[in-house]
Amino acid sequence: MQSEDNRRKVFIKTYGCQMNVYDSQRLGDLLEGEDYTMTSSMEEADCILLNTCHIREKATEKLYSDLGRVRVMCEENPQTTIIVGVIGCTAQAEGEEIIRRSPLVSLVVGPQTYHRLPQILKEVEKGEKVVAIDYTVKAKFSNLPTKKVKRQHGVSAFLTIQEGCDKFCTFCVVPYTRGAEVSRTVDQIVHEAERLADAGVSEITLLGQNVNGWHGKGADGSEWRLGALLFRLAEVKGLRRLRYTTSHPRNMDNTLIAAHRDLSILMPYLHLPVQAGSDRILHAMNRRHTVSDYLRLVERIRTARPDIALSGDFIVGFPGETDADFEKTLKLADEVFYASAYSFKYSSRPGTPGTSMAGQVDRYIMDERLQRLQALLNEQQRQFLRSKVGTVTDILLEKTGRHEGQMIGRSPWLTPVAVQTRASVGTVVNVVIQKAMRNSFIGTHDGK
Ligand code: 5AD
Ligand code: SF4
């Protein structure tokens, strides 16, 4: 290994979901264990890696506009050779096309191939261009060398337990960019959770494109699903909070619902995307459940954990969606009441069945539907936040705030909370919520 000073500096920019955030961190660990060091400044980097997202057209466009900026930067500094790489989901989906459109890119690496990156970088340093987008059978992080790298963790960390998707919703590129569902083993997950807790992490969010599709052999030899895994992780010493995301309604089984009932460490917050409120559209989306299946499920979850806050994802303007279908989406949102939700205009993605479906919806109709849905969801979020004013709430303190003596923490429902306190980062304190802002709370803490 070269000395600290000679090590080449790598800048990783992350687009998209939490899975990409986790991947970038692990990749950082991997490269730090080789001849590289991470930098947070693109300008001083010898190697720029763009960890991309392909979920909607806009995300992909962002890559190409950023590559334009990188090109200008390289042209302004012709004396330095910078390696530019595109990794992640757009890399997987577009492969060589990226190099054709942006010749300054010299490596394109898909999410299943990250363990080969140190080797690939060496080839690129010799002047080669490399496109590596093959799927490997084993989960990629099991293939990573186990060099010990000490990374600074915050109070809260992600832990990927599952990757890929076999559900093939007809709008979604994930099954093509992330491949088939692969679960990490119980041992790997428990080991990583213990390592994080030892490093001072108080909260772990389990990640997966279909996180509740996770399964693995438990200590008792039986096949575990996510519920059983949560019961096991609840025993890890030092952890205060567990979360998981993103779930599919079809994989919310009894043990998982029981975990919400029985585990106080499992936060009463659940992201449970429904996408649309019309059975006809749900069918066309291949979601494989109906509106009433979803409503019944929500009722079962709320019976198990009455204070649970729900979050969701919606798509407006899926091909064939009529005004009447859209009204049903509003009705469903109204019935469920979401504490927070994400909503998107349908974006036609290459290679997905939705692209060739009849009845593509005009852009201006999508705009109008999105506005109406977001108005409703914003109002629900406002009501939810206001309903907490005056209550005493557990807040996990995450960092110091901008003002003297102020700390920023998070509520069980992920809301940022500003509070004056002397308690230290990583502790959970009881805070009286004084005021609800648009997306945050202001609270007071007695024990200051
Ligand atoms: N168009 C719009 N939104 C999409 N999503 C996934 N694919 C598309 C698409 N083609 C949304 C879904 C999903 C979230 C991560 O992104 O709501 O739950
Ligand atoms: Fe995409 Fe559907 Fe899989 Fe979620 S469940 S990743 S929306 S195909």
Side-chain angles (χ1 to χ4, degrees), residues 165 167-169 171-172 174-175 209-210 248 275 287:
C165 183
K167 296 231 166 24
F168 291 93
C169 298
F171 51 80
C172 188
V174 166
Q209 266 97 24
N210 244 300
H248 193 288
Q275 315 295 358
R287 293 292 292 177

PDB file of all heavy atoms in Angstrom, residues 165 167-169 171-172 174-175 209-210 248 275 287, ligand 2:
ATOM      1  N   CYS A 165     -35.130  -7.598  -7.133  1.00  0.00           N
ATOM      2  CA  CYS A 165     -36.578  -7.730  -7.065  1.00  0.00           C
ATOM      3  C   CYS A 165     -37.072  -8.727  -8.099  1.00  0.00           C
ATOM      4  O   CYS A 165     -36.655  -8.682  -9.251  1.00  0.00           O
ATOM      5  CB  CYS A 165     -37.211  -6.360  -7.308  1.00  0.00           C
ATOM      6  SG  CYS A 165     -38.992  -6.437  -7.158  1.00  0.00           S
ATOM      7  N   LYS A 167     -40.456  -9.110  -8.447  1.00  0.00           N
ATOM      8  CA  LYS A 167     -41.896  -8.833  -8.532  1.00  0.00           C
ATOM      9  C   LYS A 167     -42.326  -8.281  -9.892  1.00  0.00           C
ATOM     10  O   LYS A 167     -43.456  -8.441 -10.287  1.00  0.00           O
ATOM     11  CB  LYS A 167     -42.297  -7.864  -7.415  1.00  0.00           C
ATOM     12  CG  LYS A 167     -42.092  -8.467  -6.009  1.00  0.00           C
ATOM     13  CD  LYS A 167     -43.306  -8.326  -5.187  1.00  0.00           C
ATOM     14  CE  LYS A 167     -43.343  -9.152  -3.919  1.00  0.00           C
ATOM     15  NZ  LYS A 167     -42.094  -9.583  -3.322  1.00  0.00           N
ATOM     16  N   PHE A 168     -41.432  -7.621 -10.579  1.00  0.00           N
ATOM     17  CA  PHE A 168     -41.716  -7.132 -11.931  1.00  0.00           C
ATOM     18  C   PHE A 168     -42.985  -6.310 -12.044  1.00  0.00           C
ATOM     19  O   PHE A 168     -43.859  -6.606 -12.848  1.00  0.00           O
ATOM     20  CB  PHE A 168     -41.743  -8.301 -12.935  1.00  0.00           C
ATOM     21  CG  PHE A 168     -40.381  -8.902 -13.158  1.00  0.00           C
ATOM     22  CD1 PHE A 168     -39.944  -9.993 -12.413  1.00  0.00           C
ATOM     23  CD2 PHE A 168     -39.516  -8.335 -14.089  1.00  0.00           C
ATOM     24  CE1 PHE A 168     -38.681 -10.518 -12.594  1.00  0.00           C
ATOM     25  CE2 PHE A 168     -38.247  -8.867 -14.281  1.00  0.00           C
ATOM     26  CZ  PHE A 168     -37.828  -9.965 -13.540  1.00  0.00           C
ATOM     27  N   CYS A 169     -43.086  -5.271 -11.218  1.00  0.00           N
ATOM     28  CA  CYS A 169     -44.137  -4.286 -11.449  1.00  0.00           C
ATOM     29  C   CYS A 169     -43.864  -3.703 -12.839  1.00  0.00           C
ATOM     30  O   CYS A 169     -42.703  -3.488 -13.201  1.00  0.00           O
ATOM     31  CB  CYS A 169     -44.076  -3.182 -10.399  1.00  0.00           C
ATOM     32  SG  CYS A 169     -44.351  -3.824  -8.748  1.00  0.00           S
ATOM     33  N   PHE A 171     -44.026  -0.921 -14.249  1.00  0.00           N
ATOM     34  CA  PHE A 171     -43.434   0.412 -14.450  1.00  0.00           C
ATOM     35  C   PHE A 171     -41.960   0.445 -14.082  1.00  0.00           C
ATOM     36  O   PHE A 171     -41.280   1.424 -14.329  1.00  0.00           O
ATOM     37  CB  PHE A 171     -44.169   1.460 -13.584  1.00  0.00           C
ATOM     38  CG  PHE A 171     -44.300   1.078 -12.127  1.00  0.00           C
ATOM     39  CD1 PHE A 171     -43.252   1.245 -11.249  1.00  0.00           C
ATOM     40  CD2 PHE A 171     -45.482   0.511 -11.666  1.00  0.00           C
ATOM     41  CE1 PHE A 171     -43.365   0.870  -9.921  1.00  0.00           C
ATOM     42  CE2 PHE A 171     -45.608   0.137 -10.332  1.00  0.00           C
ATOM     43  CZ  PHE A 171     -44.542   0.315  -9.458  1.00  0.00           C
ATOM     44  N   CYS A 172     -41.435  -0.609 -13.470  1.00  0.00           N
ATOM     45  CA  CYS A 172     -40.208  -0.491 -12.679  1.00  0.00           C
ATOM     46  C   CYS A 172     -38.979  -1.130 -13.319  1.00  0.00           C
ATOM     47  O   CYS A 172     -39.026  -2.270 -13.793  1.00  0.00           O
ATOM     48  CB  CYS A 172     -40.465  -1.113 -11.310  1.00  0.00           C
ATOM     49  SG  CYS A 172     -39.114  -0.834 -10.172  1.00  0.00           S
ATOM     50  N   VAL A 174     -36.179  -1.717 -11.608  1.00  0.00           N
ATOM     51  CA  VAL A 174     -35.334  -2.360 -10.590  1.00  0.00           C
ATOM     52  C   VAL A 174     -35.019  -3.840 -10.896  1.00  0.00           C
ATOM     53  O   VAL A 174     -33.865  -4.252 -10.775  1.00  0.00           O
ATOM     54  CB  VAL A 174     -35.942  -2.178  -9.183  1.00  0.00           C
ATOM     55  CG1 VAL A 174     -35.299  -3.108  -8.170  1.00  0.00           C
ATOM     56  CG2 VAL A 174     -35.771  -0.732  -8.734  1.00  0.00           C
ATOM     57  N   PRO A 175     -36.006  -4.638 -11.310  1.00  0.00           N
ATOM     58  CA  PRO A 175     -35.667  -6.035 -11.587  1.00  0.00           C
ATOM     59  C   PRO A 175     -34.593  -6.181 -12.668  1.00  0.00           C
ATOM     60  O   PRO A 175     -33.891  -7.182 -12.712  1.00  0.00           O
ATOM     61  CB  PRO A 175     -36.994  -6.631 -12.057  1.00  0.00           C
ATOM     62  CG  PRO A 175     -38.032  -5.759 -11.431  1.00  0.00           C
ATOM     63  CD  PRO A 175     -37.447  -4.382 -11.454  1.00  0.00           C
ATOM     64  N   GLN A 209     -34.612  -3.638  -1.726  1.00  0.00           N
ATOM     65  CA  GLN A 209     -35.647  -3.179  -2.658  1.00  0.00           C
ATOM     66  C   GLN A 209     -36.978  -3.819  -2.300  1.00  0.00           C
ATOM     67  O   GLN A 209     -38.037  -3.288  -2.552  1.00  0.00           O
ATOM     68  CB  GLN A 209     -35.290  -3.567  -4.097  1.00  0.00           C
ATOM     69  CG  GLN A 209     -34.571  -2.475  -4.843  1.00  0.00           C
ATOM     70  CD  GLN A 209     -33.083  -2.685  -4.817  1.00  0.00           C
ATOM     71  OE1 GLN A 209     -32.622  -3.806  -4.642  1.00  0.00           O
ATOM     72  NE2 GLN A 209     -32.335  -1.631  -5.000  1.00  0.00           N
ATOM     73  N   ASN A 210     -36.878  -5.026  -1.726  1.00  0.00           N
ATOM     74  CA  ASN A 210     -38.042  -5.769  -1.272  1.00  0.00           C
ATOM     75  C   ASN A 210     -37.682  -6.322   0.077  1.00  0.00           C
ATOM     76  O   ASN A 210     -37.599  -7.520   0.277  1.00  0.00           O
ATOM     77  CB  ASN A 210     -38.260  -6.947  -2.215  1.00  0.00           C
ATOM     78  CG  ASN A 210     -39.559  -6.806  -2.917  1.00  0.00           C
ATOM     79  OD1 ASN A 210     -40.597  -6.750  -2.253  1.00  0.00           O
ATOM     80  ND2 ASN A 210     -39.505  -6.745  -4.213  1.00  0.00           N
ATOM     81  N   HIS A 248     -43.035  -4.521   0.416  1.00  0.00           N
ATOM     82  CA  HIS A 248     -44.134  -4.771  -0.522  1.00  0.00           C
ATOM     83  C   HIS A 248     -45.318  -5.302   0.288  1.00  0.00           C
ATOM     84  O   HIS A 248     -45.131  -6.165   1.148  1.00  0.00           O
ATOM     85  CB  HIS A 248     -43.704  -5.791  -1.572  1.00  0.00           C
ATOM     86  CG  HIS A 248     -44.654  -5.868  -2.728  1.00  0.00           C
ATOM     87  ND1 HIS A 248     -45.904  -6.432  -2.623  1.00  0.00           N
ATOM     88  CD2 HIS A 248     -44.547  -5.415  -4.001  1.00  0.00           C
ATOM     89  CE1 HIS A 248     -46.520  -6.323  -3.796  1.00  0.00           C
ATOM     90  NE2 HIS A 248     -45.712  -5.718  -4.645  1.00  0.00           N
ATOM     91  N   GLN A 275     -48.883   2.652  -4.561  1.00  0.00           N
ATOM     92  CA  GLN A 275     -48.742   3.115  -5.960  1.00  0.00           C
ATOM     93  C   GLN A 275     -50.026   3.655  -6.577  1.00  0.00           C
ATOM     94  O   GLN A 275     -50.003   4.663  -7.259  1.00  0.00           O
ATOM     95  CB  GLN A 275     -48.162   2.018  -6.900  1.00  0.00           C
ATOM     96  CG  GLN A 275     -46.976   1.258  -6.363  1.00  0.00           C
ATOM     97  CD  GLN A 275     -45.714   2.094  -6.158  1.00  0.00           C
ATOM     98  OE1 GLN A 275     -45.687   3.278  -6.458  1.00  0.00           O
ATOM     99  NE2 GLN A 275     -44.678   1.491  -5.615  1.00  0.00           N
ATOM    100  N   ARG A 287     -49.173  -5.379  -9.470  1.00  0.00           N
ATOM    101  CA  ARG A 287     -48.880  -5.296  -8.038  1.00  0.00           C
ATOM    102  C   ARG A 287     -49.366  -6.554  -7.307  1.00  0.00           C
ATOM    103  O   ARG A 287     -48.964  -6.833  -6.186  1.00  0.00           O
ATOM    104  CB  ARG A 287     -49.533  -4.055  -7.418  1.00  0.00           C
ATOM    105  CG  ARG A 287     -48.956  -2.758  -7.916  1.00  0.00           C
ATOM    106  CD  ARG A 287     -47.543  -2.535  -7.451  1.00  0.00           C
ATOM    107  NE  ARG A 287     -47.466  -2.317  -6.010  1.00  0.00           N
ATOM    108  CZ  ARG A 287     -46.325  -2.159  -5.337  1.00  0.00           C
ATOM    109  NH1 ARG A 287     -45.165  -2.249  -5.962  1.00  0.00           N
ATOM    110  NH2 ARG A 287     -46.323  -1.949  -4.046  1.00  0.00           N
TER     111      ARG A 287
HETATM  112 FE1  SF4 B   2     -39.939  -2.071  -8.486  1.00  0.00          FE
HETATM  113 FE2  SF4 B   2     -42.224  -3.350  -7.857  1.00  0.00          FE
HETATM  114 FE3  SF4 B   2     -39.846  -4.482  -7.286  1.00  0.00          FE
HETATM  115 FE4  SF4 B   2     -40.644  -2.317  -5.897  1.00  0.00          FE
HETATM  116  S1  SF4 B   2     -41.660  -4.348  -5.934  1.00  0.00           S
HETATM  117  S2  SF4 B   2     -38.593  -2.672  -6.784  1.00  0.00           S
HETATM  118  S3  SF4 B   2     -41.725  -1.165  -7.460  1.00  0.00           S
HETATM  119  S4  SF4 B   2     -40.649  -4.069  -9.350  1.00  0.00           S
END
